[in-house]
Amino acid sequence: LPKYNSMKRMPFNFKIFLIILLPVLGVSYFSYYTITNNIAQEKSLTETSLSISNIKFITEVIGNIQNERGSAIAYISSNRTEDANKALVRLENQYLNTDLAINDYIKHIAVNKMPVSNPFYITLNSKEIFEFRKKIREKKLDKEEVLSFYSEITGEGLLLEVIQSGVNTSAKNNIDILIAITQAKEDLGIQRAAVISLMNDTSRLREKIKGIEMQNKFFNGHVKLFQKLSPENLKDKLSMLNGSNNSQKTFEVFNGLILSNKLPDMSKEEFWEYSTATLAGYKSLVDYSTRELETDFSSNKESIHDLLLKNIGILISLILFTFIFLYFTLRSMRRNFEQMNLAAEKMSLGIYGLTLPVGSNDDIGKLSASLNSISEKSRLITEESQRIEKGDILNPILSRSEQDELS
């Protein structure tokens, strides 16, 4: 009851304002919810894009570390001076490429203020690699030590990629595709390094071939995973890559060792060329997969951003339209009510014959017309009363309706 009484005392304009405002608030809340959802989606896609970019740099570093590992093993395994000099030139060139990739990755981490506590970053940013390279140049390390050191670094990088995939569930499938082909390339690089080592030193032949066989199983497993997760265009590119002459020659060496326990009828230089071309093909597939992933999420991010701007525009337009509509509607109603209130006050003072403007057919227009009719009839009644007061009782009083008591 008190609330009802307070509503009765509430100004009419304010009541109309509330009636219109409440549904507007409901629509505004819905628009706000939609906008905040769009913002959350855009933020998620931005984080995912950053992770994809991070994986791209990690993959580039891993690829160069793999090439450096193969070049280092080829150099250490070379016995002749001529072969050693050629291998050293290749190794030094690869050092430069690896350093460029590492510097780009470190800059990327610094610019985007990403965590630097992971082992992969710590290893790359330390002097450990440079000290290890010095020992390689001096041939103070054996092939197993070289293989173990570089494989540990690439393993840390691949683990970091897997962690990124787990964090960004919205891109998990696509990141898994990229990780699968990157791991397949890593398996291929390890097999190549093992074969080159075997070509220079046939001791412990069966033990080394078992290692190649195990790595070959990993390689096939990652290739199958890539084929399972990938769209048709990536599957086609993989089929073309595996069907190339370089890949066929490289796989023949691996399969020949595993099946017959015999070294291939191929020189070390020939195998190096075939396997290097195959690794380059897998690197191009990794790069292509990365570009596809970046393009996909870039387009999604743009569409979400466009939708966000559209929803913000709709909300602002709705609010502006509502308040403009309210302003002109309430102003018109207020003017009409003020005129009707003034007319009623004058009629209460006995001033009749006022005419209010009837600008519409709505309830306010009808009320204005009714007040005009009351004013006119009151004027006529006043004239009749004045005539009777003067003694003119012969003229009849006009009846305005069946319920007219004066008639």
Side-chain angles (χ1 to χ4, degrees):
L1 188 60
K3 291 183 179 179
Y4 176 74
N5 290 331
S6 63
M7 286 291 292
K8 289 174 66 176
R9 292 193 297 269
M10 190 179 294
F12 180 78
N13 286 355
F14 189 68
K15 292 178 182 179
I16 298 297
F17 178 78
L18 287 179
I19 291 171
I20 299 176
L21 184 62
L22 290 176
V24 171
L25 288 176
V27 174
S28 300
Y29 176 77
F30 176 76
S31 300
Y32 171 78
Y33 174 79
T34 304
I35 290 171
T36 53
N37 188 42
N38 291 152
I39 292 173
Q41 287 179 324
E42 185 175 23
K43 182 180 179 182
S44 176
L45 285 175
T46 300
E47 292 174 351
T48 301
S49 298
L50 186 60
S51 294
I52 293 169
S53 179
N54 193 34
I55 289 174
K56 176 183 176 181
F57 282 100
I58 294 172
T59 302
E60 186 66 24
V61 173
I62 289 175
N64 280 279
I65 292 290
Q66 290 169 342
N67 292 335
E68 185 174 320
R69 176 182 58 199
S71 299
I73 289 178
Y75 170 67
I76 289 176
S77 302
S78 57
N79 297 319
R80 295 190 306 165
T81 303
E82 183 179 353
D83 293 341
N85 290 335
K86 289 180 181 179
L88 183 59
V89 170
R90 281 198 301 259
L91 181 59
E92 293 293 346
N93 289 332
Q94 186 55 52
Y95 284 162
L96 295 175
N97 293 332
T98 304
D99 289 342
L100 286 174
I102 291 174
N103 289 334
D104 289 342
Y105 171 65
I106 291 174
K107 286 179 183 177
H108 167 73
I109 294 294
V111 168
N112 294 286
K113 298 179 181 179
M114 301 183 71
V116 296
S117 58
N118 62 82
F120 184 67
Y121 178 87
I122 293 172
T123 302
L124 296 180
N125 205 32
S126 67
K127 296 181 180 179
E128 188 177 359
I129 291 180
F130 300 102
E131 294 172 355
F132 198 81
R133 286 174 176 175
K134 183 179 179 181
K135 293 180 181 179
I136 292 175
R137 289 188 184 98
E138 298 170 356
K139 290 191 173 183
K140 291 183 177 180
L141 301 169
D142 57 31
K143 293 180 287 294
E144 283 73 17
E145 289 175 313
V146 173
L147 184 63
S148 175
F149 176 78
Y150 284 114
S151 297
E152 184 177 350
I153 296 176
T154 55
E156 290 171 351
L158 290 169
L159 178 60
L160 187 57
E161 289 185 343
V162 172
I163 292 172
Q164 293 284 351
S165 173
V167 171
N168 295 279
T169 55
S170 60
K172 190 175 189 325
N173 185 73
N174 287 339
I175 294 178
D176 285 346
I177 292 172
L178 184 57
I179 292 174
I181 193 63
T182 304
Q183 289 178 322
K185 181 176 177 290
E186 163 70 359
D187 298 330
L188 197 60
I190 293 175
Q191 288 180 83
R192 180 180 75 158
V195 171
I196 291 173
S197 174
L198 196 57
M199 286 180 170
N200 288 287
D201 182 8
T202 56
S203 61
R204 296 185 298 162
L205 178 65
R206 299 212 170 182
E207 181 182 340
K208 292 178 180 178
I209 289 176
K210 281 186 178 181
I212 294 172
E213 182 179 7
M214 181 181 67
Q215 207 64 48
N216 189 259
K217 289 180 180 178
F218 291 153
F219 170 76
N220 290 327
H222 290 134
V223 168
K224 287 180 180 178
L225 179 61
F226 177 81
Q227 290 174 324
K228 178 182 178 181
L229 299 175
S230 296
E232 290 301 322
N233 63 326
L234 293 182
K235 291 179 183 178
D236 292 341
K237 284 190 174 293
L238 178 63
S239 298
M240 291 176 60
L241 175 59
N242 288 339
S244 66
N245 181 62
N246 292 319
S247 296
Q248 291 294 327
K249 292 288 186 181
T250 303
F251 296 148
E252 282 177 12
V253 172
F254 297 151
N255 294 330
L257 280 169
I258 293 169
L259 296 175
S260 62
N261 291 339
K262 291 183 181 180
L263 287 169
D265 186 17
M266 183 187 300
S267 69
K268 185 169 61 177
E269 289 296 327
E270 285 179 316
F271 175 71
W272 178 268
E273 290 178 6
Y274 291 137
S275 59
T276 299
T278 303
L279 280 171
Y282 270 81
K283 183 181 183 304
S284 67
L285 186 55
V286 171
D287 294 340
Y288 181 81
S289 301
T290 305
R291 287 195 299 272
E292 287 284 294
L293 188 56
E294 287 180 318
T295 302
D296 182 26
F297 274 87
S298 177
S299 61
N300 287 341
K301 184 179 177 181
E302 288 177 3
S303 63
I304 290 294
H305 185 71
D306 292 342
L307 182 61
L308 172 62
L309 294 179
K310 182 179 179 181
N311 287 331
I312 291 175
I314 292 173
L315 178 59
I316 292 174
S317 301
L318 176 65
I319 292 173
L320 287 176
F321 173 79
T322 300
F323 280 99
I324 291 172
F325 176 78
L326 276 174
Y327 172 76
F328 286 103
T329 301
L330 292 177
R331 190 179 70 168
S332 175
M333 291 174 62
R334 184 179 183 85
R335 186 184 298 117
N336 291 331
F337 281 121
E338 285 177 349
Q339 291 174 344
M340 286 187 284
N341 185 50
L342 179 61
E345 288 179 354
K346 287 185 176 182
M347 282 190 287
S348 68
L349 297 174
I351 303 172
Y352 305 110
L354 299 175
T355 303
L356 295 173
V358 181
S360 63
N361 292 324
D362 58 10
D363 291 339
I364 295 177
K366 291 177 181 179
L367 181 58
S368 297
S370 297
L371 285 174
N372 287 337
S373 178
I374 292 172
S375 177
E376 176 62 20
K377 291 175 181 179
S378 297
R379 184 185 65 79
L380 293 175
I381 292 172
T382 302
E383 290 178 355
E384 293 284 348
S385 299
Q386 290 173 349
R387 183 172 60 80
I388 293 172
E389 183 180 2
K390 292 177 181 179
D392 184 4
I393 58 174
L394 298 177
N395 292 322
I397 298 174
L398 298 175
S399 175
R400 285 167 287 276
S401 69
E402 295 180 357
Q403 289 82 22
D404 192 347
E405 296 181 359
L406 293 178
S407 62

